[in-house]
Amino acid sequence: MSTEFPFRASSIGSSGPAIQSIVVTPSDSADLPVAVRAVTINVPGTIAWINWTGVACMTGPLPAGTYTMAAARIRATGTTATGITGWV
């Protein structure tokens, strides 16, 4: 995967506070510009993602809220949640 994981070597650590946010547009072919450690969804639904090792993952139906995940890509196929913000 070509996506950067800037928090991996950070003194903040992967469980520390976010250092930036990005608007997420799900895609089956394009990685996120930077990997995220969590997402917030505004409209309930499912989330399908590719983790930092290239493994495909998927949730069941989720209510609006914030969820931790190490994601290099949020896939369009399988993602029904909308209004997605990624936290780096």
Side-chain angles (χ1 to χ4, degrees), residues 51-67:
N51 71 14
W52 65 277
T53 63
V55 175
C57 306
M58 187 169 171
T59 68
L62 298 170
T66 301
Y67 301 93

Side-chain angles (χ1 to χ4, degrees), residues 19-37:
I19 57 175
Q20 76 181 70
S21 64
I22 60 171
V23 174
V24 173
T25 301
S27 171
D28 289 333
S29 60
D31 287 343
L32 296 167
V34 62
V36 298
R37 64 172 77 199

Side-chain angles (χ1 to χ4, degrees), residues 33-49:
V34 62
V36 298
R37 64 172 77 199
V39 296
T40 297
I41 60 174
N42 292 321
V43 178
T46 59
I47 303 172
W49 75 97

Side-chain angles (χ1 to χ4, degrees), residues 5 7-8 22 35 54 56 66 85:
F5 279 83
F7 51 85
R8 233 192 239 191
I22 60 171
T66 301
T85 300

